[in-house]
Amino acid sequence: MCGIAGFSMSGPILRDAGDIVDDMLRQIEHRGPDEQGTVLGRKFALGQNRLTIIEPEGGQQPRINESNGNTLIYNGEIYNHHRFDEHIRRRGGRIRDRCDTETLFWLLELEGIEKTLSMVDGMFAFAWYEAESDSLYLARDRFGQKPLFYAQRGDEFVFASEIKALRRHPALQNAKPDVDALRLYLMLEYVPAPATGIDGINELPAGHMLTYCNGQVDVKRHFDARDVERQESVDEAVATSQLDDLLKENVSHQLVADVPVGVFLSGGLDSSLIAAIARRQKDDVASFT
């Protein structure tokens, strides 16, 4: 778990932008106590709190291309990142460490955001500033495992991993409750995205990307489960074997780490099954119940 926060404007950012983004990051320091990094551009301020999982000696953020100004801050894990190493090198990318931040950065550089989102398998929320188009992109993983919230006040665009970080920005310190969201909560017993309960603060929905350019916000879907090819009829034994293979493959992806790995064990069938598969593949898996 890491935390990201930042803001952008259609014109030059505030003089005290560095202090503002530092204050936002302090609100989510629990998400990433190991390292903190910030970068200030002419129109943006970006920051990240890092929890080191892979490559503790590398993977520092924000990740910046000094030659063109493209910048990435990222929370999450790309499970299939080593699959692209050779592809990136052939295209001229120079991978400087084993961290998946490098993979995501170079795929965004070489392939653009839309193609990158179709290639990577993982859980993530990231912000990508593309200097040539002067655009800030936000993206969230297919099923929304990593949180991401945003707001626009006039020509100021603000985002963060948690709402309390957004509310440290001067434009949002006086944000009020959203009465319409309260009605939804009373009817549904939850607040559906993009509403959050705070007026003007939205959740980027799962499987969506956002573009902020020239003071305008555009949100669109990059993944829809309805587009996934389905098998209309399958033998039960075949389905059982396929499910077993998929579970083993996906659990193995999530055991890749340079720090100890644990499993949240609720006592139900699903977490018990995941714990059993993890234990077969790795000797030192701890459980928390």
Side-chain angles (χ1 to χ4, degrees):
M1 180 172 70
C2 300
I4 62 174
F7 51 91
S8 183
M9 302 181 68
S10 56
I13 59 173
L14 304 172
R15 185 178 302 177
D16 57 349
D19 293 334
I20 294 172
V21 75
D22 284 344
D23 190 21
M24 293 174 70
L25 290 174
R26 277 193 290 272
Q27 310 309 308
I28 53 174
E29 191 173 16
H30 58 280
R31 300 186 65 89
D34 296 327
E35 294 178 354
Q36 179 179 307
T38 59
V39 62
L40 302 180
R42 192 173 71 87
K43 295 183 179 181
F44 68 87
L46 305 177
Q48 191 240 22
N49 289 329
R50 184 186 180 203
L51 178 69
T52 54
I53 302 296
I54 298 175
E55 189 74 1
E57 302 304 318
Q60 284 74 29
Q61 296 187 43
R63 178 65 169 91
I64 306 167
N65 186 333
E66 299 291 351
S67 65
N68 62 21
N70 291 346
T71 305
L72 170 70
I73 52 173
Y74 155 60
N75 166 32
E77 186 175 357
I78 305 300
Y79 302 133
N80 60 342
H81 67 106
H82 284 310
R83 184 178 302 174
F84 303 110
D85 288 353
E86 187 57 35
H87 169 75
I88 290 169
R89 291 189 181 99
R90 285 200 308 268
R91 294 285 305 277
R94 295 184 178 181
I95 301 175
R96 64 187 188 185
D97 56 50
R98 299 184 299 108
C99 187
D100 53 343
T101 301
E102 278 293 287
T103 302
L104 180 59
F105 175 84
W106 280 110
L107 288 177
L108 289 165
E109 278 275 285
L110 300 170
E111 306 292 350
I113 186 167
E114 294 197 39
K115 187 172 181 181
T116 295
L117 289 170
S118 71
M119 297 169 71
V120 295
D121 173 21
M123 53 177 181
F124 54 80
F126 67 79
W128 169 249
Y129 175 72
E130 187 179 73
E132 183 178 1
S133 62
D134 192 23
S135 298
L136 178 68
Y137 297 97
L138 305 183
R140 197 165 174 218
D141 62 70
R142 295 173 179 178
F143 296 101
Q145 290 178 264
K146 294 300 180 184
L148 194 55
F149 302 90
Y150 70 93
Q152 185 175 17
R153 286 284 194 272
D155 65 345
E156 295 182 276
F157 177 80
V158 191
F159 70 91
S161 296
E162 296 185 23
I163 292 174
K164 61 184 177 182
L166 273 101
R167 298 194 67 182
R168 297 304 299 177
H169 190 281
L172 295 166
Q173 287 180 357
N174 296 318
K176 298 178 180 179
D178 181 351
V179 177
D180 290 332
L182 176 59
R183 293 192 187 99
L184 289 171
Y185 177 78
L186 292 174
M187 287 190 295
L188 305 173
E189 297 187 358
Y190 77 102
V191 178
T196 62
I198 306 295
D199 186 38
I201 296 180
N202 299 302
E203 179 182 11
L204 183 64
H208 282 66
M209 60 174 282
L210 178 151
T211 306
Y212 175 74
C213 184
N214 295 323
Q216 300 297 314
V217 171
D218 177 61
V219 178
K220 67 179 182 180
R221 185 186 295 273
H222 69 78
F223 172 78
D224 192 334
R226 293 170 294 187
D227 296 333
V228 176
E229 185 177 350
R230 291 171 171 78
Q231 292 178 275
E232 297 295 336
S233 178
V234 60
D235 178 80
E236 183 176 349
V238 173
T240 301
S241 177
Q242 290 177 346
L243 178 59
D244 190 49
D245 291 341
L246 286 168
L247 283 170
K248 290 176 181 176
E249 179 184 1
N250 283 279
V251 170
S252 69
H253 287 168
Q254 298 186 50
L255 294 177
V256 177
D258 294 327
V259 295
V261 175
V263 175
F264 288 120
L265 188 62
S266 69
L269 289 176
D270 48 0
S271 65
S272 299
L273 182 60
I274 289 170
I277 295 171
R279 183 62 181 80
R280 291 174 187 170
Q281 299 185 19
K282 195 174 180 69
D283 291 335
D284 57 347
V285 175
S287 64
F288 301 85
T289 186

